[in-house]
Each structure stands twice: as structure tokens, then as C-alpha cells.
Amino acid sequence: MAKQFVKDVTAMDEDFAQWYTDVVTKADLIDYSSVRGSMIIRPYGYALWDNIKNELDTKLKETGHENVYMPLFIPESLLQKEKDHVKGFAPEVAWVTHGGDEKLQERLVVRPTSETLFCEHYANIIHSYRDLPKLYNQWANVVRWEKTTRPFLRTLEFLWQEGHTAHATQEEAQEETLRMLNVYAQICEEYLAIPVLKGQKTEKEKFAGAESTYTIETLMHDGKALQSGTSHNFGDGFARAFDIKYLDKEGKQQFVHQTSWGFTTRIIGALIMVHGDDRGLVVPPRIAPTQVMIVPIAQHKEGVLDFAYDLKERLGKVARVNIDASDKKPGWKFNEYEMKGIPVRLEVGPKDIENNQVVLARRDSGEKIIVPLNELEVKLPAMLEEIQNDLYNKALNHREENTFTVQTFDAFKAQLEERQGFIKAMWCGDQACEDKIKEETGATSRCMPFEQEHISETCICCSKPAEKMVVWAKAY
Ligand SMILES: [Zn+2]
């Protein structure tokens, strides 16, 4: 059966990009649409997003945020208000120039992000310190006209949430910025079993219009990095551009301090590339739409299907359980649910029924165990928990094994040629060095990790005194 599979999916080590494309389509996560760079998210792909969204939405509400919805269109003049922001987004916006046959007086942008809309609204509704803080979030789609695209990782349109908050002070805004970064880190580590590296972006890599940008960076199976969530502190820059002021307790006019933060369908790309293997997708139990798939064996024999359906109902109380009672062969079903990464397969046939037992097979390790019926309610949740933890630890080990420390530019280049990963190196803080490193190696600065190490005295690029340890990588 293993052999049959290899025919379907390109081996990861042979061609990782092709492997990825095979998995997203064969696990039935997406289909391509007739618009270049746009994807159709299929029911299984959307179910994954739904679960991620529900976990995150719960956390956003627990931290005091309210959901709103902003319009899809932004007038050109509104986008122009904050200079850095418009400069950052202008090359990749989609324009609406006509309504029906009529040319519009003012062009509209299809939102690439909604800072400007929130700012305009906040200027209207915030007047006094009593109106603060405002903790709004929206779940929406955004459009960015990307030149090269890949399902989930870079598409013309993607789904996300964008939080936009306004605060009385810079301290509160900073606290919020880091709080939300930590919420993203929690979703990644606790639900998606993906370890994250937390840090601050350099000036070059920060968000257009932000004072500071923080990120969680994750490492994929092939040693490339993926920016998996960002949180920005805007200071009062946007407030000055949009005139968002409030009367403080002393009756003085003050500008608000703002944040924004976003988490997107991109994370499904990370899920695939962190946990997947040559047999397809591997989904961590906590986020899996189906945690256990029951596959009846010799289901035409009397009593087998009834027994399997009873099991589904019984175990539905301790896990998300599904059953495939179609007339396809068990071998086909095994392949199909391995491809989809369903964490546990439960096999039950006439012999098992006779012996009061079932077989549980783990997707991640391939391990199969026989479990007595009366122990299932205990053993099954324990197995799911174990898979969750094992997946996280495996990903963490992989990241540790592929994190390298270098002290010279030559060693940096040699490392990238030998094996990609996170590369820790010292940097002087000058953008010219950052540019040069990118130009000569293709690696970008991923972040200045919160946990700094003192690797050497000087910048690897220019040999001037070093300011920060930066983690570099080639990235998606
Ligand atoms: Zn330098």
C-alpha cells in the first residue's frame, strides 16, 4: 500500500514544491479557479480554517475584542492619507474604476488591509477618554495583486482577521500589541502544534506605517521560514494622519495610540509544510475536523455496520468521529484518510467484534494497537493527546536541528548552500547590510528574537560593532 501511495504524491525530498501542490489538491483542500492566483477553498480546507477561526475568535473575545465589518472598497483619497502606508501597498492593490458603464469620479481600492477604514471610523466615534480603548476585529477577505502565487501561501485574495485597536496611551498600545502576538503564538503552539519564534521586525521589514512590528516565525520542513502572524504598534502616526483625538481627563486634546494585527489562511500552508509527510497531510488532533475515522472491515457481513455505527455514536462523546460506510474497498479508504491526515483510523471487522476489540492506527507514526472495547473511552482521547504532543515535539526538534549559528558572512553563505534553516547572526543595525545579505544570499531578516544571544562582537556583513542578533532565512 505504501508503494501505491508514492505514485500519487511526489516525495518531499525529491521536489518539495511539487509535493506541496500534490498535497493541497489530493487532500482536497483547494481547487484552482479561472482567475490566476485565486483558489477555491474546498469543504475540507474550509473546515480546517473554520476550526482555526473558532479557536482564535474565542480567544479574541476572551481578551475583550468585538467583531465588526468594514466595507470592501476604500476611496483612493482615504488610502493616500498615511504616506508610508500607501507607498507600501500601492504596487499590489486592485482598482475599481467603473460602476457598470460609468467611470467613477474617484477610483476605489479593493481593500488590501483596512487600517484606513478603521481610522476614518475611529475619528468619527472617539471623542473622550471614556470612549477608549476601542478593541475591534474583523473577519474578512482582502486582495493583494501578487505576481507569483501558491495556494494558501500567496494568493490574490485570502481570508484573515484583522484587529484594529485604539488606546489612550502608548504603553497600553504596546501592551496590546504584545498580548495579541502571544495569542497568535498560543494558537500555533497549542492547537496547530507548530513552534514559533517570537521577535521584532527590522525597520526594513516592518509594516507600512507602523512604528514597530512583531512577528511569529515558523520553520517549514524544507528549512524555509514562514511569517505566521504579525502584530503592529502604530504609535500615534495614523491618529495624526486621520485626526483621531480624544479629550483626556484634564480636558486636553490627545491623539490616540493604535495597533493592528492579522492572522490568515496562510497558516494552513504552515500546517501542511510543518507536519505533512510523503503520504500526505498530517493534521494535529486539536484542529482536525475529524479526529477519528471508522473504517469497517468486511462490512457486508452481518452486524459489522451496525456495530460500527454504534461505536461512532458512543465515541462521539469523547472525540470528533466519522465513519466511511461507502462500498469502496478498505485499502482505498486507508489511503484516502491518510492523505487527509486524519489523526486516528479505527478498524473494526467480524473478528474484532468477536474478540470485543478494535484496532487503532495512528496517522503520524503508523503505529497500530489493539484496544479492548471497554477501554476505548479512555485510550482514544489519550492517544489523541499523545499525537498532539508528539507532533509539536517533532516540529520543535526539527527546528532545533535546523537552527544554525554563524559568526562570519562566509559561514553564513556556506550554511545556506549546505542546508537551509534559521540562521542566527549578529547585525549592526544598518539597512545597507541587511540589503546586501539579502542580495547575496536570498535570505531575509526574519526577526530580532526577544531572546537575544551574544554570538560575536561585530556585524557579519560590515564588521562594525553589532547591535542585535537577527534570525535570517529564506522565506515563503
Ligand atoms: Zn553591518
Side-chain angles (χ1 to χ4, degrees), residues 427-430 433 459-464:
W427 174 56
C428 62
D430 191 343
C433 289
C459 172
I460 56 152
C461 188
C462 67
S463 302
K464 282 189 205 137

